[in-house]
Amino acid sequence: VRLYDIKSGRRPVWSVNHCENAIRALVALSDGNSLIFGDGAGESFHVDIRTSRVIGKFKGVGGAITSLREDPSREGLVASTSLDRFVRVYDIKSRRMVNKVYAKQRLSDCLFLANPEAQEDKEEDEEVWEQLEKKEKSGKSEKREKREKNSKQSRKRKHVDSGEP
């Protein structure tokens, strides 16, 4: 990982060469002094930019890391996804795993909700779901009417073709 300052020249101002594998994900933390990066072997490191020192390593990943995200609403949490299909949430200071969830899909990225408890968001979601349910019900009734109409027409044709009164 290298940090460049275009005002000072073409050479990197800061460099860390700690991992042997290619870096797959990187997140600059909100404190402005550190970053976390993950490589293709499933290792992720917390690095202090000021001292060019590795603060620690996050453990428990079984595949290449595909994304890293910091929680914007609560400081101190970072989430990672990897090719082993797990989403892991870590405490940044202690580097301990807070939560781990298996997803059936292959994961390429993860996001934190800005404020999941917001009442306005819940009300908007309820309105959206109600509208979708109404559309679904109206769509089903229209389809049902078309099917009934088609079946009546086909019965009339059969009735006329057979010559019965």
Side-chain angles (χ1 to χ4, degrees):
V1 178
R2 295 180 185 139
L3 179 67
Y4 291 91
D5 184 8
I6 57 172
K7 294 178 183 176
S8 66
R10 301 184 97 177
R11 295 188 182 242
V13 176
W14 173 86
S15 179
V16 171
N17 194 10
H18 189 70
C19 66
E20 298 172 6
N21 299 304
I23 293 173
R24 303 275 312 253
L26 181 124
V27 62
L29 299 179
S30 61
D31 65 2
N33 297 323
S34 59
L35 57 89
I36 298 173
F37 63 90
D39 65 9
E43 295 179 335
S44 54
F45 301 95
H46 186 192
V47 179
D48 187 352
I49 297 173
R50 298 170 294 181
T51 61
S52 300
R53 187 176 64 96
V54 175
I55 297 170
K57 179 180 173 183
F58 295 90
K59 296 183 180 181
V61 180
I65 295 175
T66 56
S67 75
L68 290 164
R69 296 279 183 223
E70 182 182 18
D71 188 352
S73 61
R74 291 173 292 192
E75 290 185 19
L77 293 179
V78 66
S80 72
T81 59
S82 60
L83 290 180
D84 64 356
R85 298 181 181 185
F86 277 96
V87 177
R88 292 175 177 85
V89 179
Y90 294 96
D91 179 52
I92 295 172
K93 290 180 182 176
S94 67
R95 293 182 303 281
R96 291 187 182 229
M97 192 182 319
V98 177
N99 202 354
K100 173 178 152 180
V101 177
Y102 179 77
K104 293 180 182 179
Q105 298 85 2
R106 291 182 183 158
L107 303 171
S108 62
D109 206 354
C110 64
L111 294 172
F112 282 100
L113 294 175
N115 189 359
E117 290 88 22
Q119 185 64 26
E120 294 174 8
D121 292 340
K122 288 181 182 179
E123 291 173 3
E124 289 176 12
D125 289 345
E126 288 175 11
E127 289 175 15
V128 169
W129 283 111
E130 287 174 9
Q131 290 174 359
L132 287 173
E133 287 174 359
K134 286 178 184 177
K135 287 182 181 179
E136 185 178 319
K137 287 179 183 178
S138 67
K140 284 183 181 179
S141 62
E142 289 174 10
K143 289 178 184 177
R144 222 178 272 136
E145 288 175 13
K146 287 180 182 177
R147 274 190 247 133
E148 289 174 2
K149 187 176 180 181
N150 289 339
S151 64
K152 286 180 184 178
Q153 289 176 353
S154 63
R155 278 189 240 137
K156 285 181 182 179
R157 282 188 217 131
K158 288 180 184 177
H159 188 67
V160 171
D161 292 340
S162 63
E164 295 179 12

